[in-house]
Structure formats: structure tokens, C-alpha cells
Amino acid sequence: MGAQMNAYLMSVDARSQANYYIEALGGEIQFVSTYGDAPGAPEAMKDKVMHLAVTVAGTNPLMLSDAFEPVSYNRSVSLSLTYTDEAEARAAYAKLSEGGESKYPFALQPWGAYYGEVIDRFGVTWMITKL
């Protein structure tokens, strides 16, 4: 028996966050539904994102939703992208760093791969690797 695992991020602004990842990594929004699509949604929530599916950095799925409570990410969960092209990996690292925080510079590591870690402006930790 098998399953597919996908990252699902709760967000303060799912649309902005998805568009940020599209600009930084390339990709496109596949699907968006709002709470207004569901019957009986409170007026204040009608435009909030209930579910947003986006592909980034190729065909990698990422899902987001506007949260009902404050969002706080921590480093116990990270998103990891592995590239075969160094220029693409460096570009992803640089773009995700804009407005965020470089936790570990993107550089050649003793194990032979390039690696860097960044916390983006939304608070999500990304591990960027070039094998």
C-alpha cells in the first residue's frame, strides 16, 4: 500500500505566499477555493482561501490555506529542494532569501554537494541542495 505525501502550509495570506513561491521558484496555481464556495460561510471569511494547490520548481505540489489563528512556523519542519543544476539552486536560494533570513550560506559541503538553508519572509525553512 502506498501514499503520496504533500506539504500543506497554513498561512496568513495563502494567495500572496503562493505567488511569492511562483516568483521565486517558478510554477503555477492549479486550484483555489475560498470559504465563500462553502454554504454558510461567514461574510468575513468569504474571500479567505480554504484550499490552494500550487506547483513549484517544476512539478512539486505545495498546498496552502488561510489560517483561522496566528501562524508560526518553526525549524522542526523544513521544505527541501534538490537541484541538478547549480545556477538554478543558487537562484532559488537567493530568491527565497529576499526578505527572509539566510540560516546557512549556499556553499560546497564536505560531502560533495552544494547546500544552503534559508527562512523565507513567511517563516518557512527551505533546504536547498545541488547534487
Side-chain angles (χ1 to χ4, degrees), residues 44-93:
M45 293 298 294
K46 287 195 185 255
D47 292 332
K48 296 284 186 180
V49 172
M50 184 167 56
H51 178 71
L52 186 151
V54 61
T55 53
V56 296
T59 60
N60 299 291
L62 183 61
M63 293 177 273
L64 299 98
S65 179
D66 285 328
F68 287 105
E69 54 201 37
V71 174
S72 97
Y73 298 108
N74 64 49
R75 296 207 37 204
S76 66
V77 175
S78 300
L79 299 181
S80 176
L81 286 174
T82 302
Y83 289 88
T84 56
D85 181 270
E86 183 182 340
E88 286 181 22
R90 285 187 182 282
Y93 182 89

